[in-house]
Amino acid sequence: MKTIIAMLVTLTIIGVVSGGGLAMISGWAAPLIAANKKAATERAIFLVQPEAKQYEAVAEVPYELYRVLDEGGQPTGYSFPWEGNGFQGNIRMMIGLTPDLATITAIEVLEQVETPGLGTMILEDPFRGQFNGLKTEPQVDWVKGAPPTKENEVQTITGATISSKAIVDIVNDGLARLRTDLAQGGDK
Amino acid sequence: MDLNILIAIATMGGLGFIFAGALAIADKKLRVEENPLIGKVNDALPGANCGACGKAGCYDFAVNVVEGTISPNGCPVGGQDTANEVAALLGIEAGTAVKIVARVLCRGGNIEAARKMVEYRGPQSCATMDLVSGGSKMCQYGCMGGGDCVDVCTFNAIYLGDNGLPIVVDELCTGCGMCVKACPRDIIELHPADREVFVFCKSHDDPKTSKEVCEVACTGCGICARKSDGGVVLSDGLAVIQWENFDPEKIPFDKCKTSAICYLRDAFNQMQEGTADADAQKLAADVNPEQKN
Amino acid sequence: MSSVTVTEAPTGQELLLSTSPHLHSRWTTKQLMWFVVLALVPCVISSVVYFGFYQLVIITTAVVFAAGTEALIQYLTKKPVTISDGSAVITGLLLGLIVPPYFSPAFTALGAVFAIAVGKMVFGGLGYNIFNPALVGRAFLQAAFPVAITTWTIPQFAVDAVSKATPLAAFKFDNVVTPLTPLVVGNVGGSLGETSAIAVLIGGIFLLVTGVANWRIPAAMIVGMLLFGGVLWLLDPAAPDPVFHIFAGSFLFAAMFMASDYVSSPVTGTGMWIYGLGISLVTVLIRVYGGLPEGVMYSILFMNAFVPLINRYTQPKLFGEGKA
Amino acid sequence: MIFKTFPGGVHPPEEKELSEHCAFERMPAPSIVILPLSQHLGKQARPLVEKRAVVAEGQVVAEADGFISAPVHSPITGTVKSIGRESHSSGYAREALVIVPTEAKEGETLPEPQRLPALDPAIISVADIRARVKEAGIVGQGGAAFPTFVKLTPPEGKQIDTVILNGCECEPYLTRDDRFMIERPDAIISGLQLIMRALGVSKGVVGIESNKPQAIASMESAVAGQPDLSVCALQTKYPQGAEKMLIKAVNGREVPPGKLPLDVGVVIQNIGTAIAIHDAIAHGEPSITAALTVTGRGIRNPKNLIVPVGTPLSEVIAYCGGLTEDAAKVVVGGPMMGVAQHDLDAPVMKATSGIVILTQDEVRRQEETACLRCGKCIDACPLHLLPTRLARLAQLGMIEEAERLNITTCMECGSCAFICPANIPLVQWLRLGKQRVVHMQRNR
Amino acid sequence: MELILIFVSAALVNNFVLAYFLGICPFIGVSNKLSSAFPMGLATTFVMVLTAIVTWLIYHLVLVPYNVEYLQYVSFILVVASLVQFVEMVIKKVSQPLYRALGIFLPLITTNCAILGLALFIVLKEYSFVEGIFYGVGAGAGFTLAISLMAGIREELELADVPAAFRGAPITLIVAGLLALAFMGFAGMITV
Amino acid sequence: MSKKQVSLFNDYTKGVWDQNPVFKQVLGMCPALAVTVSAMNGIAMALATTFVLVFSSFIISLIRKLIPSQVRIASYIVVIATFVTIVDLVMRAQFPELSKELGPYIPLIVVNCLILGRQEAFSSKNNPFRSVLDALGMGTGFLIALASLGAIRELFGSRSILGVQLLPDAFEPWLIMILPAGAFLTLGLMMGGLNAMILRRKRREEADILSKHIPKTYVAASEGQEV
Amino acid sequence: MRGEDIYEEGIVLSVESGRATIAVALGEGCEECTAKLFCSGNATKQNTVLVRDPFGVRTGDHVRFVVHGEDMFRASFLLYGIPLLLILGGVLVGTYLYDPGMMPNELWAFLLGIAPAVVYYMLFFLTGQRTGGDSMMPDIVLVQGRRE
């Protein structure tokens, strides 16, 4: 019985001390972590909207959506994170759009687990750059093995067709959702 | 203190409490029986789990001590005190463990033992040669020189000499007995390292056959047995030493025509002479200059 | 040793002593291996015909580095050097035939070294490797240089090469079905040795007729492909038909030369069937649902890993313990 | 024509043409006879005579010691020179009587050759058959040399319905049974009928491989008109003559591992055994001669011989013209399961079926290479074992695993080692494994 | 369909052992006999599913509502450890003979990284309850597959002539590497 | 150095090589394989692990006498998990990039066999000073292993070490090295190579004994008695 | 499934009517195992096992025994496989088919998943103690040495 009490007491005390200590450290760290996260989001938002100077969150949709504004507070477009399946797993990206949703300003991949050196070429400019100013009507399309001929086409990466296609698919998926939601919300 | 901290403390305290409770119950139900001796021995050890004894850790050492496969003084960290303590627990003496080594009881090398008029083809291992008319030597009892004992020795304490017989290196031999098991003809035996005289033959052949087959076989003449006062007995044509009665002083070594019974060192020296391996002799000379053959 | 010596052996020569049986069949390892090398010659020729003489450089590099690595490792570990048994040559040859045309010889050499060193020698050399060494080499190259190894050239007799997708890639990414005739003849993009079904079949049939290769594995693979490929084709009209599956890519080549590799395939008859069917199933799944256009290589490697288990569970029933 | 057979097996070169046309010759008495006390499976016989005793041809010189044992008769009239360990065709020295022919000294007469009283095979009783077979020291001629009397005395309650005479002679080179069937079909049938009577069986089959058309014809005419007897032609394949394989081929039954043919209602006897039984009963002849084939490319004049038991191999070889220049290996028994000899003083024994002398060319073995796991041995193994794995297990000393994979079932037919392209001496390793497993089982 | 994808992804494409290196300890340690490897995998799957369930509940019903997500490591590991002990206790109580049969050859590994990893991944990937469970089943199946294959291969390698320096952990790692190569063929399958 | 110093010194050094956690004890494989795509990641992971190891060793050896043996492991886990959470929080607050890179492998330090193993084998039996030394030693060994593994993988997989390009552009990086398969293979080959070195040294030592001892055994014996 | 047999060695701790309790020495397998630190029994690193003893061993004997692989498979299916399926089934039913709506759906599904497993274990407890019996016990195969 004595050992049982000893066991209970010891472990409870260790738990209490651990919990207390962690709570305190978390109290210090939590704001910093939140700030980091905010900074990262902000950076991504502005990365896909090079012109923008400020942003505000759009509350009408049940997911993250930011309206970006110029110096004068005039809306210059949308930035929103979207995700979908890649070659190996999830790809999460930030998509920047003009206010009429007809043109992509830029995209930025936030998280991915694609094949290093191959699938990860989606992060690099030869591919990513193609999205700057890309038309989205009727939807983004891809071509393989040849330079794109239309305004809404991108060329896939050799050897990483699937990853390239995944990006296009995610963009289209996000766009579609956005179009319906914004049309309903009448945000314009 | 703000609420968050309190919640954290409560959560962790609660979890700790519940876990401890569960463990307490589990402990009651799951307690494992063990040989109390092993636990005691374990407690007596330094607990460094250093592995210097060659075991996985102190507990493993304790198991082995209790099992008897390692001597109480096998823990180099604990030293003599630990050894005594452990020995006391086991009721045996600490330092009395005698070094046991393997001894090859055949001297019928390539020169001494007659070879068949055949060429054996097949795996060069004693175990398999033994299946095919016993390899290429005539003797059905002697060493075939296939080196199975060499192969199984994890300590590299045994090697094949130049005349085809295995030689045991006492310093490396741990007396583990692997070679004894490996020898299909039971030529290798474990003996205390200080035993000097052996009957270097296992042949039960009749005198005539043994003479034909091997220069150094025991012919079973019985001279040593008659003089030894029971230290050597004749069993099915072979002299066998009875160690409890054995006194080397009584053995008329020069009467043994084949020197089947002789001192270990003589057996070795003859082997040295018999082989033309200059290196081995040079080695001997290097280490011990006054001892030149 | 007899107490009565009758006569010496009449001619006095030394007799041989060994265990029974005293007779031996004509097959030797070396012979089996060099027969396989011989069977690969048509594929080598077809690769030269379709892709030019430069391909011989690639194939030779693979062979030389494979054999050289084996010899070097055996020399360093003080084991008898056994490259003359031809197994390393086969590995090199196979590896050379499953890389794309105009593949970098340096990469080929690296693949060959890896195939032998990691695919074979760390397991103890010939007979102990779990995975097919040539495929290990190829998988290594695929993982290390994914772009280079998926850059295909169309077969032509001209000097400047043009990159073109393989029939399978064409199907996967562009939904283009290559007609059967070029597939059979070999006038399509693909690895060096695998494009021409005719060349593969000549070699393969040679192996089957001489009894070097066991017929069960190729048979099981083809049956499996007709079965699984067919079922999928019936269920899903978008999937290619099974005949296309069989003739496209390296399926036939793998069936004849890779999957039937003795060491890394099961030893029992039932096991061979399971193994072949398994390869087909995984191949179809990868080709239709996977990210890669071709899956034969991975399916064989994957099934290689199953071989120990297959062997264990397909042990023949002991004589007298029910019908085997 | 489709011949019956069993699954598995191999096709070694037959090489029977060397001696299949040579009729039996009777070899004259040798200059010395080495008479091992264990020429049979089971306990060795107990000698009845002392050194220097004079013995008559046909006299019992050693008696059966126990149930599974057989007496030994002197094949010549002579003097016992010694009793001790002598060469033996198993490769290991065994206890043997050495008898040399003696010239009659003045005032002495040599004992007359002894024979047992002849009995009429037509009316002999079951008990008499068994007694005579035992008395005559007959052992199985198929190679294992199991005392025949034991086989004719099945345990109570065993239902036996068929006797199969084994005329397969699947071992390459050997032609003894072939010759017997050509030369003495009636004696064989008489022997078969005696065996059937002893066992109370009404069905007798003679199994013959298809490569002996003459023998098949001869036996078929001998059984003609006897509805209970038949000849069964079998595919030529090794090891067709192994008991279990033969039963499988002839009537499709499989003998479970560890069981005897008896357990599936079959008794198998060799052609030679049938003749020995006939001779022992009809002519009162004890087992003092061995019929054997001396053949191979390493002997000058291949022959089929009838040799007094105990004749040293060297004398037999000399009688056949001696070894050729390139003779390399002397095998007692067939080349697939026989024992290579290291000492030509070893004697011919009751069950010796042949001496095969192979030349350098025939025995030249390629170097042993690594196992490729080609599975040829598994296809070849008539007992459906995994020879390559068992051999490796034996080699590595993983005895328990080998036991679990039924290593003890192996009959050492050698099909696996014959077919192995890597030249691995599988049989040797298997034998080692079996030995170790048995050793371990005994230690339990 | 989504659930099947999660399962296939966890079992084949992103195999816990071969792609995430989780559960390497038992993978190297317990993979020498199929008879212990497969039951081990099964038991791990069982514990994984339980873990997935319990940690999901704790995280979503306790930690998140009270805003103490930072306690997840401490609480998860405690929960996992006690869960395993509890399971072991139940098993022992339920059937002494069976427990004995598995007994010492099938230790439930208290602090198996794969199990904690699973709990963390479920949180990280924001799986729903059922998704989390399927992820657990897939991870367990993948672990069982990998460890069983490895066990078969290692038994085969016991008969092989592996150079002394590579026996044990090194050859196991190399085989694991080659297995990982072979599993790469499944990449992309989740984008069905 | 006094004997005591030697033993203290040994507390530290044994972890570096003789009992190197990765190469010799095969512990902590999960991070060793997962995060070593670059030398930097390996070093960061090893430092984080060492931090947790040292502090938890210190705490545990301090309170080792107070913990009933039944809740030993549980207590250790809580202590370790606490420190891991601290590391994680600090990293997320101060080094968000690195934290993202090492991903979910930081929390898995909790179940690193190495840490629990040291608590069980050493800290629970020794005083805080020695425990910390031991922990530092193990940490160093871990660091060496992870850094070297990371360096090799980075060199061949990305042409550089610690971000400094060492191989020319002409060298096509071997992508396999930064894939899981490459991690297994590299570590397996490294361990095999190290074992080969050790074996060779052992062989040499045995050969040494062999050459010195054989004659002595017999020769010495014959000095005692002459026949 | 046909499992292979596992051979282990250990020392006899106690004997009672045809069964022996054996302490398994940390063999080579265990030494290699990196997971050894966490092997079940939390208080001691030693493991004991109850085995059938056809030889009449004595305390202190060094014996070799066999664990039948088939039994391992069977036991693991009975103990883990079936409950796993029950839990999965329960959870799926709770999630998709029936929602009482009085508590968080997940908690409900959890309870519905655990319930059949608990029932299963209870049934097993009631019947298993008798039926399981000795049939899955390892057997001693070899007495290797006696301690003098």
Side-chain angles (χ1 to χ4, degrees), chain B residues 91-169:
Chain B
I92 57 173
E93 277 183 44
T96 52
V98 190
K99 183 172 169 64
I100 303 282
V101 292
R103 292 287 177 232
V104 181
L105 299 186
C106 174
R107 286 175 58 203
N110 292 341
I111 296 158
E112 295 88 356
R115 298 184 77 81
K116 287 171 186 163
M117 281 297 290
V118 292
E119 181 200 342
Y120 165 77
R121 279 197 199 167
Q124 294 298 317
S125 116
C126 306
T128 46
M129 280 198 260
D130 192 39
L131 295 169
V132 187
S133 313
S136 46
K137 277 182 199 163
M138 294 282 245
C139 180
Q140 288 192 11
Y141 300 94
C143 174
M144 293 176 278
D148 281 14
C149 45
V150 179
D151 294 342
V152 295
C153 185
T154 45
F155 305 96
N156 288 341
I158 194 162
Y159 68 102
L160 221 48
D162 287 315
N163 69 339
L165 288 175
I167 298 169
V168 176
V169 183

Side-chain angles (χ1 to χ4, degrees), chain C residues 69-90:
Chain C
T69 309
E70 175 152 324
L72 183 72
I73 290 176
Q74 285 174 333
Y75 172 78
L76 288 179
T77 52
K78 299 184 183 67
K79 284 188 177 152
V81 176
T82 59
I83 51 168
S84 67
D85 67 17
S87 66
V89 174
I90 295 183

Side-chain angles (χ1 to χ4, degrees), chain C:
Chain C
M1 73 177 295
S2 166
S3 55
V4 276
T5 307
V6 187
T7 38
E8 287 297 313
T11 50
Q13 69 249 46
E14 200 170 66
L15 293 172
L16 290 176
L17 184 62
S18 72
T19 187
S20 63
H22 306 287
L23 295 179
H24 201 271
S25 74
R26 67 203 161 95
W27 283 117
T28 64
T29 309
K30 252 187 208 175
Q31 234 172 324
L32 289 172
M33 293 293 181
W34 288 108
F35 266 56
V36 176
V37 173
L38 203 61
L40 285 168
V41 168
C43 293
V44 174
I45 293 172
S46 87
S47 73
V48 172
V49 167
Y50 288 119
F51 302 107
F53 275 98
Y54 178 73
Q55 314 315 327
L56 280 182
V57 176
I58 298 173
I59 297 172
T60 316
T61 311
V63 171
V64 167
F65 273 85
T69 309
E70 175 152 324
L72 183 72
I73 290 176
Q74 285 174 333
Y75 172 78
L76 288 179
T77 52
K78 299 184 183 67
K79 284 188 177 152
V81 176
T82 59
I83 51 168
S84 67
D85 67 17
S87 66
V89 174
I90 295 183
T91 302
L93 210 47
L94 287 175
L95 182 67
L97 289 171
I98 48 175
V99 295
Y102 299 99
F103 192 62
S104 153
F107 293 169
T108 315
L110 190 65
V113 170
F114 187 85
I116 295 290
V118 178
K120 186 168 164 192
M121 297 317 282
V122 292
F123 292 100
L126 180 62
Y128 299 122
N129 47 301
I130 301 293
F131 298 93
N132 185 327
L135 286 178
V136 167
R138 164 71 207 237
F140 169 81
L141 290 177
Q142 174 95 49
F145 313 111
V147 179
I149 206 157
T150 43
T151 308
W152 310 96
T153 310
I154 49 159
Q156 56 184 353
F157 307 95
V159 185
D160 49 352
V162 178
S163 166
K164 193 197 172 197
T166 61
L168 281 167
F171 182 84
K172 181 149 206 106
F173 300 118
D174 305 320
N175 265 320
V176 175
V177 179
T178 314
L180 200 58
T181 323
L183 286 177
V184 173
V185 178
N187 194 18
V188 291
S191 298
L192 285 180
E194 70 188 28
T195 54
S196 165
I198 291 180
V200 171
L201 286 175
I202 291 173
I205 289 170
F206 169 73
L207 287 187
L208 294 180
V209 167
T210 50
V212 172
N214 197 307
W215 60 272
R216 291 188 189 97
I217 293 172
M221 277 179 69
I222 290 168
V223 168
M225 193 47 107
L226 290 173
L227 189 73
F228 302 123
V231 166
L232 225 58
W233 178 54
L234 292 176
L235 291 179
D236 177 6
D241 64 281
V243 177
F244 175 79
H245 267 310
I246 289 174
F247 285 99
S250 48
F251 186 78
L252 271 182
F253 186 81
M256 293 300 177
F257 300 111
M258 295 285 197
S260 57
D261 164 44
Y262 286 141
V263 182
S264 53
S265 64
V267 291
T268 61
T270 329
M272 289 176 188
W273 278 99
I274 296 176
Y275 176 73
L277 292 175
I279 291 174
S280 298
L281 178 64
V282 179
T283 305
V284 173
L285 288 179
I286 292 180
R287 280 183 179 180
V288 177
Y289 295 117
L292 299 165
E294 174 59 303
V296 176
M297 168 179 78
Y298 288 115
S299 13
I300 295 182
L301 282 177
F302 185 69
M303 290 308 289
N304 279 166
F306 277 91
V307 167
L309 299 184
I310 294 178
N311 276 339
R312 172 200 301 270
Y313 291 110
T314 57
Q315 238 176 65
K317 274 239 170 62
L318 206 57
F319 183 87
E321 285 188 341
K323 299 282 169 216

Side-chain angles (χ1 to χ4, degrees), chain A:
Chain A
M1 201 57 216
K2 214 175 122 193
T3 40
I4 292 178
I5 291 172
M7 283 163 72
L8 290 173
V9 169
T10 319
L11 214 51
T12 312
I13 290 175
I14 291 176
V16 165
V17 171
S18 145
L22 283 181
M24 281 191 278
I25 291 179
S26 159
W28 163 78
L32 289 174
I33 294 171
N36 284 335
K37 209 175 161 191
K38 191 157 174 272
T41 315
E42 235 166 62
R43 215 184 54 229
I45 289 172
F46 291 127
L47 221 64
V48 294
Q49 294 283 8
E51 253 92 273
K53 294 289 176 275
Q54 355 174 2
Y55 72 97
E56 58 183 38
V58 179
E60 286 84 5
V61 290
Y63 42 87
E64 280 180 79
L65 176 66
Y66 304 99
R67 182 181 299 121
V68 290
L69 315 161
D70 64 9
E71 278 146 345
Q74 282 306 307
T76 57
Y78 295 100
S79 285
F80 73 109
W82 203 253
E83 61 182 31
N85 279 329
F87 184 62
Q88 305 263 55
N90 244 15
I91 297 179
R92 188 178 158 85
M93 52 198 285
M94 183 71 84
I95 306 168
L97 291 165
T98 53
D100 59 356
L101 305 185
T103 313
I104 293 175
T105 51
I107 57 160
E108 173 73 12
V109 176
L110 303 176
E111 282 163 27
Q112 51 79 30
V113 282
E114 300 307 281
T115 319
L118 193 59
T120 50
M121 274 151 64
I122 53 171
L123 302 178
E124 289 158 25
D125 247 351
F127 179 76
R128 202 186 51 174
Q130 298 182 74
F131 285 87
N132 300 348
L134 194 72
K135 294 288 177 231
T136 61
E137 304 288 347
Q139 59 165 13
V140 182
D141 224 333
W142 50 271
V143 290
K144 196 167 169 285
T149 49
K150 293 184 200 138
E151 281 192 312
N152 66 335
E153 281 180 350
V154 291
Q155 184 186 354
T156 57
I157 303 163
T158 315
T161 317
I162 297 213
S163 300
S164 319
K165 277 169 70 179
I167 295 287
V168 173
D169 289 345
I170 295 167
V171 169
N172 281 331
D173 185 44
L175 260 171
R177 184 75 193 268
L178 207 57
R179 280 190 190 123
T180 37
D181 285 353
L182 288 183
Q184 278 167 6
D187 192 59
K188 260 196 240 172

